[in-house]
Amino acid sequence: MEIANTVSASKITLSELMLPSHSNFSGKIHGGYLLRLMDQIAFACASKYSGSYCVTASVDTVDFLNPVHIGELVTLKASVNYVGNTSMVVGIRVTSEQIQTGVIKHCNSSYFTMVAKDDKGNNVKVPKLILSNIDEVRRFYDSVNRLENKKRYKELEHTFDYHSKEAIDGLESFNVVIAEKLKGKI
């Protein structure tokens, strides 16, 4: 019998009040501190889903949409959006709430790829993912698209000739200056 688990079985919510010790000099919370919280919830979510110890394999784009201030309540929500054989993509949404006014703002969203491990550090198979509603189907397909785009980008990286005259000439449309000694080597 194959083991399967629901998306809802993976869901985790974490809330924390932002303190002065979490902030930078302008009174905003360090992005690195938020990333630490995101990594913690990704671990908890993936471990809860898989029943295994999990490690972070990669973090997809993290766009900081709105700053978080001292005194705000930050809430992170995570769920498994995609599973492979031994890996899971955990979607994370971060919001902050100004406690006195109740105003909530979306701070960022990100996707952590987590890998399940056994006690010896070997990869282990994760349960299949049961998709129960159209949002879960959308999130699964969004993850598939991100993974395919990542694979295409890596293939392009391996085949692109950075030494070609076309590559160097193509840089002129960016905010760079090509040193004459570099132009002479092409």
Side-chain angles (χ1 to χ4, degrees), residues 4-112:
N5 219 340
T6 62
V7 172
S8 60
S10 74
K11 289 187 176 183
I12 300 272
T13 300
L14 171 72
S15 293
E16 185 172 328
L17 183 65
M18 293 297 102
L19 303 174
S21 61
H22 305 140
S23 70
N24 58 27
F25 293 110
S26 65
K28 294 174 182 65
I29 303 308
H30 282 288
Y33 186 76
L34 293 174
L35 285 169
R36 178 179 166 203
L37 293 175
M38 293 167 74
D39 192 51
Q40 287 175 3
I41 198 168
F43 166 80
C45 178
S47 295
K48 179 180 178 186
Y49 177 83
S50 67
S52 301
Y53 178 77
C54 294
V55 297
T56 306
S58 71
V59 180
D60 284 351
T61 304
V62 179
D63 293 321
F64 292 95
L65 306 172
N66 288 295
V68 178
H69 297 90
I70 295 169
E72 291 183 334
L73 183 66
V74 167
T75 300
L76 298 91
K77 293 185 178 187
S79 65
V80 170
N81 291 352
Y82 169 91
V83 297
N85 289 319
T86 62
S87 66
M88 298 149 280
V89 173
V90 175
I92 303 169
R93 180 179 173 91
V94 181
T95 59
S96 67
E97 178 180 0
Q98 214 298 327
I99 295 174
Q100 289 84 7
T101 65
V103 172
I104 296 173
K105 60 188 174 187
H106 178 204
C107 299
N108 65 42
S109 293
S110 188
Y111 305 94
F112 280 55

Side-chain angles (χ1 to χ4, degrees), residues 160-174 176 178 182-184 186:
F160 186 75
D161 181 6
Y162 295 96
H163 301 283
S164 70
K165 181 175 178 357
E166 293 80 21
I168 300 301
D169 290 346
L171 291 171
E172 292 176 359
S173 65
F174 296 96
V176 297
I178 308 302
L182 178 60
K183 286 181 183 178
I186 303 300

